[in-house]
Amino acid sequence: MNGVIKIYFHPTCATSHELIVNLYNKGYLDKVEIYNLLKPLENRFVWSVPWLVKDNEPVGTDPISDDEVINIIENKDIIIENPVESFMMSILHSSYASSIAILHKDLSLLINDSFIKASIRYGHSNVNINDLKNELIENKDKLLQEYRDKIRRALSVSFVRELYWSKSGNIDSNDIVKYSDPTIVGLWLLSKGSIGRIGLPKRPLIFNDIDVKEVSAFVQKRGKGLLEKIKEEQENIYNDKLYWEILERSKKDF
């Protein structure tokens, strides 16, 4: 795999921010193409950001380090010690994938070639995609239960972050409690895990859903701490002048 590496990102993503700045500082940013996902994509699908593509194949996604990306640029091998864990961590770091897992109570919709390839750094690790796919299918129910609480926590962070955006950052812990009602969380999950009717469960009736109630309760209990971390994360991004200069000079979007 010797093609050009494309990195799809969004400016608000903390991993994208760190990755782009580190690649720039190490002199590798000019060896990749970066694409700002500000508009809906045509003829491609991106599960999460950052999302790396090489030779039209997914080769990486969050969580991913600049060292891993440099290895991909230099066509070096990447060691994936636990492919199943790598796949599940990619779910945890994708609010879209996490919402699908919880909305459907099923990992099956995520066990597809593109998401698996990204999670295992396809073409740069020794992981056999078919073996991993079969293992995931065989253990999907067990894995969902094992990671269910972690997925709920990940969704709680995403929910607070999007509340922060919806209020343009003018939000406090009282607002978090106010808006973390299970009905609002359920509405958010339905919209997060689907596009219109695409991706909806056949019976999308989630009032009193246990996962929705757990996310709601966690946000109400830990919302203040989550909000403080998200404010710090987002303000760090927005105030990084070098980052925005890099994006302006490398402007490619859809």
Side-chain angles (χ1 to χ4, degrees):
M1 302 179 75
N2 297 308
V4 174
I5 297 165
K6 299 179 180 180
I7 301 177
Y8 297 90
F9 74 100
H10 193 275
T12 62
C13 169
T15 305
S16 296
H17 168 237
E18 181 179 7
L19 186 61
I20 288 170
V21 171
N22 286 346
L23 289 176
Y24 175 84
N25 287 332
K26 293 181 179 182
Y28 280 87
L29 192 62
D30 61 351
K31 301 181 185 298
V32 301
E33 295 179 359
I34 61 174
Y35 293 88
N36 199 337
L37 294 179
L38 301 179
K39 303 176 184 177
L41 289 174
E42 295 182 10
N43 303 321
R44 344 179 140 75
F45 191 82
V46 172
W47 279 96
S48 185
V49 289
W51 184 262
L52 278 69
V53 175
K54 185 177 181 181
D55 295 330
N56 295 317
E57 293 282 11
V59 295
T61 191
D62 199 12
I64 191 167
S65 68
D66 54 283
D67 287 336
E68 284 184 285
V69 177
I70 290 171
N71 280 342
I72 293 173
I73 292 170
E74 296 182 345
N75 210 30
K76 294 180 179 179
D77 292 336
I78 296 173
I79 298 174
I80 304 293
E81 295 182 355
N82 188 331
V84 171
E85 182 180 26
S86 183
F87 175 80
M88 295 305 300
M89 290 301 294
S90 294
I91 292 176
L92 290 175
H93 283 76
S94 167
S95 59
Y96 180 51
S98 293
S99 65
I100 288 173
I102 290 300
L103 186 61
H104 289 265
K105 321 298 184 196
D106 191 353
L107 297 182
S108 296
L109 282 73
L110 305 174
I111 302 174
N112 63 77
D113 287 355
S114 65
F115 198 66
I116 292 173
K117 286 178 178 179
S119 74
I120 62 170
R121 315 312 185 229
Y122 180 69
H124 296 272
S125 70
N126 61 354
V127 180
N128 183 295
I129 186 171
N130 291 322
D131 289 346
L132 175 57
K133 194 171 184 178
N134 290 334
E135 184 176 358
L136 291 171
I137 291 171
E138 182 178 350
N139 295 292
K140 62 184 180 65
D141 295 335
K142 178 183 176 182
L143 286 168
L144 178 59
Q145 292 310 311
E146 180 181 345
Y147 282 85
R148 193 167 191 164
D149 196 54
K150 292 180 181 179
I151 296 173
R152 290 168 176 165
R153 301 295 178 261
L155 285 172
S156 298
V157 175
S158 296
F159 180 75
V160 175
R161 182 181 292 111
E162 294 181 24
L163 278 178
Y164 171 89
W165 288 335
S166 73
K167 298 278 285 184
S168 298
N170 299 312
I171 189 170
D172 59 28
S173 56
N174 292 326
D175 289 324
I176 297 297
V177 173
K178 176 182 176 182
Y179 293 116
S180 59
D181 174 89
T183 300
I184 296 176
V185 173
L187 175 63
W188 173 80
L189 183 64
L190 283 171
S191 62
K192 190 75 178 176
S194 61
I195 303 173
R197 299 289 178 92
I198 300 169
L200 275 179
K202 61 184 178 182
R203 292 178 180 267
L205 306 174
I206 62 171
F207 188 68
N208 282 330
D209 179 269
I210 182 61
D211 293 303
V212 169
K213 290 194 288 188
E214 288 293 328
V215 170
S216 173
F218 186 79
V219 171
Q220 291 190 20
K221 183 178 180 180
R222 302 290 179 85
K224 182 178 179 180
L226 293 176
L227 180 60
E228 289 174 355
K229 291 181 179 180
I230 286 163
K231 281 185 174 180
E232 181 180 3
E233 168 200 281
Q234 292 295 295
E235 288 172 7
N236 181 45
I237 292 172
Y238 295 144
N239 293 327
D240 189 338
K241 293 182 179 179
L242 174 61
Y243 176 58
W244 294 99
E245 289 173 2
I246 293 169
L247 298 191
E248 187 61 29
R249 291 199 297 267
S250 308
K251 192 171 184 180
K252 287 183 181 178
D253 54 41
F254 295 89

